[in-house]
Amino acid sequence: MSFVGTPVRRKEDPALLSGRGRYADDLPTPAGTLHAQIIRSPHPHAEIVHIDAVAALAKDGVWTVITGEDIRKMSDPFLVVLKAPVHQWSLAVGRVRYVGEPVALVVAESRYLAEDAAELVNIEYRPLEAVVDPQAACAATAPLLHTEAKTNEISVRKFSYGDTKSAFERADARVALTVEFPRLSFTPMECYVVVAQYNAADDGYDVLANFQGPFSTHPVMARALRVPGPRLRLRIPPDSGGSFGIKLSVFPYIVLMALAARIAGRPVKWVEDRAEHLVAASSGPNRITGIEAAVTKDGRILGLRLDQLEDYGAFLRAPMPGPLYRMHGAITGAYDIANVDAVNRVVLTNKMPASLIRGFGGPQLYMALERLVQCIAVELGLDHLDVIRRNLVPAAKMPYRAAAGSLYDSGDYPRAVATAIGHGRLDDLKRRRDVARAAGRKYGIGFAAVVEPAMSNMGYLSTLLTADVREKAGPKNGAISMVTVNIDPLGAVSVTADSTMQGQGHETVLAQIVADQLGLQPDDINVVLEMDTAKDQWSIAAGTYSCRFTPGTAVAAHIAASRMADKLKDIGAKQLNVLPGDVELVAGKIRSRSNPDNAAPFGRVAGTSHWSPVMLPEGMAPALSETAQWAPELEPPSSDDRINTSLTYGFVFDMCGIEIDMLTYQVRVDRYVSMHDAGRILNPMIAEGQMRGAFAQGIAAALYEEYAYNDEGAFLTGTFADYLVPTVSEIPPVEMLHQETPSPLTPLGAKGLAEGNCMSVPACIANAIADALGVKDVQVPATPRRIHALMEGSGR
């Protein structure tokens, strides 16, 4: 029996469901650990005039109060991709630029003392004019966030693929619209936790934090601390209470607490509370997209033009502007469009810094692209689904090179759509719509088709730079995954990997993969996914993000386990007196294929390497340990700015019916169908759970969640009473469908699948709302207030 491809129960769940998870705040702290409290700015933009900490320092149990000037003397600002003077330290230096920015740090003997002392620190501010609207921030007269930069619009890059000018000239029609995607953040149950120690003997730091990666920010942290990389030991706990991209942004606090430990001369622990997390952790960037299509009269898209203005808040935190460029090579989505012009613009405003959140870049792109396709159908008097199918990449063109450079590895998009609408599903939606409309109710049907990238090419972000600048800096590309399989003297198998746990089920899938290769049960495989940069294998690509596990870490596990199996076959062949090709690993035994009775227990053969190395085949090194690195071919951006941003590309097609309550103006999802092609499914049960989680967060983005600021920059959604996170009661049922077209680029044929519905659901629901109300401009989240305004504005 092969365990890969079967719904093996999660190994992680017994501990988690019985309250025995090991999270960062559960782990023991070093003796003498102090506790920190951050004092945050109440102003969106202000100069720091004076900080008076005398009263706080006089309080018993308070060790120190640290300010931005202290931090500036001991550390460097964080590196950013752009060569722009946008300097950020772990505490504000001279000026605050968003509500919630860390201004000072109180370190005391307990968290309670630190919180009380923080109230005694007196900070005098001189308020400055703030700017929160990204378009207003681009104006020459806008207040500058970073005066040395001389502009808030810190990056403008123009791209052209194909002959877009000619496409627009020969088009029968042009369809255009402007789409806004809001700021939101997927809130994990566990907030940030950091425990930092300083070792004066080697001028090094030892930090425990629930950081998720990418570990490309490890050099950023080390450089900020002014130490070589090996002197920043970063340890990740065995469990994390969710992340969804948010825990990348713990890295400035890792630096802050490391410096605090150095100043205090004692270990320092900081646990973020929910109020801090909402106001200052990070959010996805808001984007304003102007998009226009050149189309034929039957709805075929000949060319696209996009102007993408993305708001990254007060600073450009590494690895920003990731969301703007991660989808760049796939900017045409699931459609066969040869001609594209795009302008990518990065602007800073007085909001919290933006970062990666689940699906980063995808929700923003597809909200614009999929809304455009629906508008094409409406303006040309065509069926929306017909326009989608007319433009989908044909199966015959797979693997398909998109205009901007992405290589779609496999798929049959038209067949997936046909399956999703088949078996009466679309007919049922149309029947429901007809019945509702006949009764005078507002009912609409929406569609969305997206490609879902997985395992990012680490060079995609360098597309931000011009070709000549890239050439001077040297090529950046590829993605490395690492897994080690060990066997101990009694034959027990353990696995370590370069991924970080956040609840996805990686432990189970790795156990399945290794068990298959070694002829064991998944329960026989011990998987350890807590990471320690001082002793574990890692690269800058390490971590859990961008769906890299399935096409990356899982492949490395497959390779390492295969090598281990080959080694065991060689050892077993000598002991069984057969040729290696006649040896198989089955049911905990190593035996002869031709004579199954000629067998030995797995543990006895595996233990040979430890107990009797003289019995090993000639030339075989003792001890059984195999580390595999999987580094697929991913090229850097070409001289004409084409970039294959990821290794694999899945496909998602969504279809929904929604009804709008005419009294409450609430949107009710009546039926939802979601078709996924993620290549080979490694564990159907885990895949289903991941997709349902992404679906729930897609619903949240479509109808509930938004980080809101007023015109002066005040943060308006600082509690769960204002920032509406839907509960299970608000998440509608969803019918998940699967189509498997294995990727030819990975040995397992699997692609990522944990982000797709975050990308597709907001666009699909927005299209259904547009269909229900007959309107063009739909903004998410589609709250009752916005629905009321839409209906009032359209006279409905």
Side-chain angles (χ1 to χ4, degrees):
M1 173 184 176
S2 173
F3 293 106
V4 171
T6 61
V8 173
R9 286 182 177 271
R10 285 169 37 115
K11 291 167 65 71
E12 299 90 337
D13 287 350
L16 298 179
L17 296 176
S18 60
R20 290 179 287 132
R22 292 175 295 157
Y23 300 91
D25 195 27
D26 298 326
L27 301 181
T29 54
T33 295
L34 303 174
H35 296 264
Q37 173 69 23
I38 297 172
I39 301 172
R40 299 179 180 275
S41 169
H43 300 282
H45 201 190
E47 292 179 355
I48 302 171
V49 178
H50 180 66
I51 299 177
D52 182 357
V54 173
L57 290 168
K59 192 173 180 65
D60 287 344
V62 174
W63 279 62
T64 185
V65 176
I66 301 169
T67 68
E69 284 304 314
D70 300 321
I71 296 299
R72 185 183 61 80
K73 294 171 185 176
M74 300 175 63
S75 64
D76 292 327
F78 296 110
L79 288 171
V80 296
V81 175
L82 287 169
K83 303 299 181 183
V86 179
H87 301 310
Q88 180 193 14
W89 282 266
S90 53
L91 286 178
V93 174
R95 181 185 292 199
V96 294
R97 294 175 173 87
Y98 64 97
V99 172
E101 182 171 2
V103 179
L105 186 75
V106 178
V107 180
E109 291 180 357
S110 74
R111 184 173 178 179
Y112 306 99
L113 286 173
E115 289 185 4
D116 288 347
E119 296 181 0
L120 301 177
V121 177
N122 182 37
I123 304 176
E124 182 183 350
Y125 297 95
R126 182 180 296 115
L128 301 171
E129 185 182 358
V131 59
V132 295
D133 179 82
Q135 291 177 315
C138 294
T141 56
L144 293 177
L145 273 79
H146 302 269
T147 54
E148 292 181 8
K150 299 180 181 179
T151 179
N152 296 322
E153 191 177 13
I154 58 172
S155 174
V156 179
R157 285 279 280 127
K158 296 181 179 181
F159 302 90
S160 185
Y161 308 104
D163 188 353
T164 309
K165 181 175 181 292
S166 175
F168 272 81
E169 287 174 348
R170 68 178 189 272
D172 296 322
R174 299 180 179 187
V175 179
L177 77 159
T178 299
V179 176
E180 295 187 30
F181 194 88
R183 281 191 163 233
L184 70 148
S185 184
F186 298 138
T187 50
M189 289 187 290
E190 179 195 35
C191 296
Y192 298 161
V193 181
V194 180
V195 182
Q197 302 177 70
Y198 174 68
N199 184 354
D202 67 355
D203 188 30
Y205 300 91
D206 185 331
V207 180
L208 170 76
N210 49 12
F211 174 70
Q212 72 169 84
F215 278 73
S216 57
T217 56
H218 186 279
V220 173
M221 291 184 279
R223 186 182 184 281
L225 289 167
R226 299 175 180 170
V227 296
R231 292 188 189 170
L232 172 58
R233 180 183 187 180
L234 183 58
R235 294 178 291 118
I236 314 300
D239 294 307
S240 179
S243 176
F244 319 120
I246 299 304
K247 284 175 180 164
L248 158 67
S249 295
V250 72
F251 82 84
Y253 299 102
I254 290 174
V255 171
L256 177 58
M257 299 309 152
L259 293 171
R262 180 173 183 174
I263 292 169
R266 295 267 291 272
V268 173
K269 180 176 183 178
W270 170 67
V271 178
E272 179 190 52
D273 66 29
R274 182 62 63 184
E276 287 183 286
H277 189 86
L278 284 170
V279 75
S282 69
S283 69
N286 50 300
R287 183 185 298 183
I288 299 174
T289 304
I291 187 168
E292 183 180 19
V295 295
T296 63
K297 59 186 177 183
D298 62 353
R300 184 75 176 88
I301 302 173
L302 304 178
L304 282 179
R305 288 178 177 149
L306 299 95
D307 183 332
Q308 303 183 110
L309 177 64
E310 190 132 284
D311 174 4
Y312 281 89
F315 299 99
L316 205 62
R317 275 183 184 162
M320 298 300 102
L324 186 56
Y325 282 89
R326 182 237 190 158
M327 300 297 299
H328 185 79
I331 201 169
T332 48
Y335 302 118
D336 184 15
I337 304 171
N339 309 294
V340 186
D341 286 352
V343 180
N344 288 350
R345 298 190 285 153
V346 174
V347 65
L348 302 182
T349 63
N350 292 109
K351 301 172 186 170
M352 78 173 76
S355 186
L356 312 180
I357 67 168
R358 195 173 188 177
F360 66 99
Q364 292 90 338
L365 172 66
Y366 292 124
M367 178 58 69
L369 185 57
E370 292 305 299
R371 285 292 302 118
L372 177 70
V373 172
Q374 197 264 357
C375 288
I376 290 171
V378 170
E379 294 195 18
L380 298 184
L382 302 172
D383 181 81
H384 182 191
L385 185 58
D386 287 345
V387 176
I388 290 175
R389 291 192 286 194
R390 194 162 290 138
N391 287 285
L392 286 175
V393 174
K397 287 192 174 184
M398 290 292 180
Y400 172 81
R401 180 72 69 176
S406 284
L407 180 64
Y408 298 173
D409 45 323
S410 66
D412 188 337
Y413 302 170
R415 180 163 64 91
V417 171
T419 302
I421 66 175
H423 295 281
R425 295 184 188 91
L426 180 57
D427 290 340
D428 176 63
L429 278 181
K430 290 180 176 179
R431 178 189 60 78
R432 294 177 187 223
R433 182 172 63 180
D434 291 344
V435 170
R437 289 184 175 180
R441 306 199 306 270
K442 301 295 183 183
Y443 194 106
I445 296 174
F447 306 98
V450 310
V451 292
E452 179 180 7
M455 193 173 183
S456 290
N457 178 350
M458 297 303 288
Y460 79 85
L461 195 53
S462 63
T463 315
L464 171 72
L465 307 173
T466 59
D468 57 330
V469 174
R470 293 197 301 264
E471 186 176 355
K472 291 177 183 177
K476 294 176 176 61
N477 62 288
I480 303 172
S481 299
M482 301 181 184
V483 169
T484 298
V485 176
N486 284 297
I487 302 182
D488 78 358
L490 298 180
V493 180
S494 62
V495 179
T496 59
D498 67 348
S499 64
T500 51
M501 295 267 281
Q502 297 143 35
Q504 294 91 339
H506 294 170
E507 180 181 339
T508 302
V509 177
L510 289 173
Q512 289 176 256
I513 293 168
V514 175
D516 271 355
Q517 294 299 314
L518 301 185
L520 301 173
Q521 296 288 317
D523 286 344
D524 297 330
I525 312 300
N526 183 46
V527 181
V528 180
L529 293 182
E530 53 191 296
M531 187 181 290
D532 184 339
T533 60
K535 58 187 181 63
D536 292 326
Q537 296 247 353
W538 63 280
S539 72
I540 61 167
T544 301
Y545 59 95
S546 297
C547 289
R548 71 177 288 268
F549 174 81
T550 306
T553 305
V555 173
H558 172 78
I559 295 170
S562 297
R563 291 176 183 168
M564 182 64 77
D566 290 341
K567 186 177 284 189
L568 289 169
K569 289 175 184 178
D570 287 342
I571 298 171
K574 184 174 182 181
Q575 296 185 20
L576 300 176
N577 198 26
V578 297
L579 294 174
D582 187 37
V583 178
E584 62 181 359
L585 281 62
V586 177
K589 294 183 179 181
I590 296 177
R591 71 187 189 188
S592 166
R593 292 178 188 272
S594 56
N595 180 16
D597 291 334
N598 182 16
F602 178 92
R604 179 183 298 175
V605 175
T608 301
S609 179
H610 293 275
W611 300 106
S612 185
V614 295
M615 294 180 61
L616 294 175
E618 187 176 351
M620 181 179 289
L624 290 178
S625 180
E626 285 291 337
T627 297
Q629 296 88 17
W630 165 241
E633 276 192 39
L634 286 166
E635 298 295 327
S638 64
S639 58
D640 59 355
D641 292 321
R642 284 178 166 83
I643 176 67
N644 183 21
T645 52
S646 299
L647 176 63
T648 65
Y649 296 85
F651 176 70
V652 181
F653 174 75
D654 283 4
M655 173 176 67
C656 74
I658 63 96
E659 185 171 342
I660 296 172
D661 189 301
M662 298 300 292
L663 293 177
T664 65
Y665 302 102
Q666 288 182 309
V667 176
R668 180 182 66 86
V669 178
D670 184 43
R671 185 175 184 183
Y672 206 105
V673 178
S674 187
M675 160 61 78
H676 292 250
D677 184 346
R680 186 185 182 194
I681 304 298
L682 301 182
N683 184 317
M685 183 175 66
I686 289 177
E688 187 87 358
Q690 286 296 299
M691 288 187 293
R692 288 183 179 274
F695 173 75
Q697 290 179 325
I699 292 290
L703 299 176
Y704 297 96
E705 298 188 23
E706 180 180 15
Y707 274 13
Y709 296 79
N710 68 11
D711 292 341
E712 288 73 41
F715 188 59
L716 304 179
T717 47
T719 72
F720 281 150
D722 306 295
Y723 186 78
L724 300 182
V725 178
T727 68
V728 66
S729 300
E730 284 83 43
I731 304 301
V734 57
E735 181 180 358
M736 293 287 184
L737 304 173
H738 297 278
Q739 172 179 296
E740 294 189 26
T741 52
S743 171
L745 302 183
T746 69
L748 293 171
K751 309 180 185 186
L753 50 69
E755 297 183 320
N757 283 132
C758 289
M759 304 176 183
S760 60
V761 173
C764 187
I765 289 180
N767 282 336
I769 292 169
D771 181 53
L773 299 180
V775 296
K776 184 173 184 178
D777 297 319
V778 178
Q779 188 173 349
V780 296
T783 59
R785 176 176 59 82
R786 286 195 171 120
I787 293 295
H788 178 266
L790 275 177
M791 297 180 69
E792 197 171 55
S794 62
R796 293 173 181 270

